[in-house]
Amino acid sequence: MNDLRDKYLTAIAGARDEAALEDLRVQAVGKKGEISLQMRELGRMTPEERQVAGPLLNALKDEINSALAARKAALSDAALDERLRSEWLDVTLPARPRRTGTIHPVSQVTEEVTAIFADMGFAVAEGPQIESDWYNFDALNIPGHHPARAEMDTFYTHRATGDERPPHVLRTHTSPVQIRAMQAQGAPLRVIAPGRVYRADYDQTHTPMFHQVEGLAIDRDISMANLKWVLEEFVKAFFEVDNVDLRFRASHFPFTEPSAEVDIRCSWEGGTLKVGEGDDWLEILGSGMVHPHVLKAGNIDPNEWQGFAFGMGIDRIAMLKYGIPDLRAFFDSDLRWLRHYGFTALDVPTLHGGLSR
Ligand code: DAH
């Protein structure tokens, strides 16, 4: 028995891996292992012999089993130590440069516009892109027969047949948000509404989906003078110039009376656009004093309240500010274009930190 013990304890202590340990286990205490065979001999012994040999064999079996377990634990500790030694990572190394996404100019400019108007006390309002034709047209003083409905190249959700519910439209402008904001918040009111709009039109300066920002200010004594100041402040802040000339050109929109289109002074000298100097004028928005019919549609009493509104193309002012020549490329998802014209995610536009640094 002492020989058996020495033989197996030495072998177990020298086993190199778990497979070797398993072989030893089978040889010693497996079903047909040496110690198991010895135990079977107990049956043939006299009771006296058995009383001596039985406990000794059992003790030997236990001793071998615990030597196996101890060696197994030691081997796996050593394996873990080896892994910890070889599979390490220096987390203090600098990060590898990785291609990151960019902020689309439309998103960037929307943020810029929002920051500027927020500073003047305008909140952001929203409305649905699939709009009823009442909100998109009627409420804005554009009745069914009005030519503006045809001019806007409206997308309808389905053809109107018989007495069916009137079709919805993809909103052709952000102006319906004026009505929704008036209904939801009442007067006084100061909101801008940036968002997507849709018209069936496609060429270098038109895409079927584009972006506008609507502005609306309602109070007891708001006048064209307030409109002019707000737009001048906006243009100076947006184009990051100290002085701009704005030209208010009499115009017509069904939802404003009087109405004005606004141009900014610019020059195209040397083929590049400069805002604020030169002898050219560039139209950037439509505006006016909100028509009494429109106030009424928004449940606001035109005898008590008045205000101004304006609507501006976001993509258009983005092209002007950042010198982007073709509108269609805005929506091509071309990675080269996005990397060239895109902005870093961390350049959040603020008035104090700079709009487009
Ligand atoms: N909704 C007009 C358009 O899409 C733009 C516009 C003009 C909006 C005058 C206004 C406004 O709020 O007062 O062409």
Side-chain angles (χ1 to χ4, degrees), residues 21 26 118 122 126 133 149 226 241 298 317 357:
L21 274 181
V26 172
F122 287 75
E126 291 184 301
D133 64 356
R149 291 211 183 196
N226 301 115
V241 291
I317 60 171
R357 224 105 329 154

Side-chain angles (χ1 to χ4, degrees), residues 9-262:
L9 291 185
T10 313
I12 288 168
R16 292 301 207 82
D17 51 33
E18 283 200 25
L21 274 181
E22 178 60 13
D23 283 348
L24 287 168
R25 189 190 65 78
V26 172
Q27 274 178 47
V29 297
K31 262 194 191 149
K32 291 180 181 160
E34 266 188 290
I35 293 166
S36 311
L37 290 178
Q38 294 277 332
M39 287 178 126
R40 267 186 234 165
E41 297 294 314
L42 291 173
R44 274 188 241 145
M45 293 180 187
T46 63
E48 292 75 21
E49 285 173 329
R50 205 181 300 139
Q51 250 176 14
V52 181
L56 285 175
L57 273 173
N58 270 323
L60 178 57
K61 188 180 171 185
D62 287 348
E63 197 177 349
I64 287 182
N65 273 330
S66 41
L68 283 167
R71 181 66 185 151
K72 190 169 168 180
L75 281 176
S76 76
D77 280 356
L80 182 60
D81 283 347
E82 173 59 23
R83 275 189 64 192
L84 289 175
R85 217 167 39 73
S86 61
E87 299 176 16
W88 64 284
L89 188 67
D90 184 351
V91 294
T92 66
L93 284 175
R96 263 184 238 132
R98 198 156 52 100
R99 279 203 188 279
T100 48
T102 58
I103 302 298
H104 195 283
V106 170
S107 305
Q108 171 76 17
V109 165
T110 302
E111 289 299 322
E112 293 178 18
V113 170
T114 305
I116 296 168
F117 281 108
D119 194 58
M120 293 192 267
F122 287 75
V124 171
E126 291 184 301
Q129 295 175 36
I130 299 172
E131 189 56 284
S132 76
D133 64 356
W134 187 82
Y135 278 104
N136 196 78
F137 295 122
D138 301 80
L140 290 161
N141 200 32
I142 313 173
H145 54 79
H146 199 282
R149 291 211 183 196
E151 277 162 23
M152 283 211 178
D153 303 305
T154 311
F155 285 114
Y156 287 87
T157 53
H158 57 84
R159 279 183 208 289
T161 50
D163 56 3
E164 211 180 318
R165 191 166 59 88
H168 280 60
V169 301
L170 296 185
R171 68 178 181 195
T172 57
H173 50 180
T174 43
S175 302
V177 186
Q178 286 188 32
I179 309 296
R180 290 183 175 277
M182 286 191 277
Q183 289 179 339
Q185 301 173 43
L189 184 64
R190 227 184 282 177
V191 289
I192 58 163
R196 296 184 164 180
V197 300
Y198 302 83
R199 291 182 204 177
D201 205 353
Y202 190 65
D203 61 33
Q204 193 180 341
T205 52
H206 298 91
T207 49
M209 185 278 294
F210 60 105
H211 301 80
Q212 287 188 334
V213 57
E214 195 78 13
L216 175 68
I218 308 280
D219 214 320
R220 295 191 187 274
D221 53 4
I222 284 194
S223 71
M224 287 291 270
N226 301 115
L227 169 66
K228 185 160 184 278
W229 182 85
V230 164
L231 292 178
E232 277 169 358
E233 286 301 301
F234 167 74
V235 169
K236 279 192 278 184
F238 180 74
F239 288 105
E240 300 174 64
V241 291
D242 292 334
N243 266 304
V244 269
D245 275 342
L246 287 190
R247 184 169 74 175
F248 282 66
R249 229 172 344 95
S251 181
H252 175 263
F253 300 102
F255 27 90
T256 42
E257 180 57 37
S259 305
E261 281 175 302
V262 176

Side-chain angles (χ1 to χ4, degrees), residues 255-271:
F255 27 90
T256 42
E257 180 57 37
S259 305
E261 281 175 302
V262 176
D263 306 333
I264 47 172
R265 186 184 286 284
C266 67
S267 91
W268 287 102
E269 240 177 62

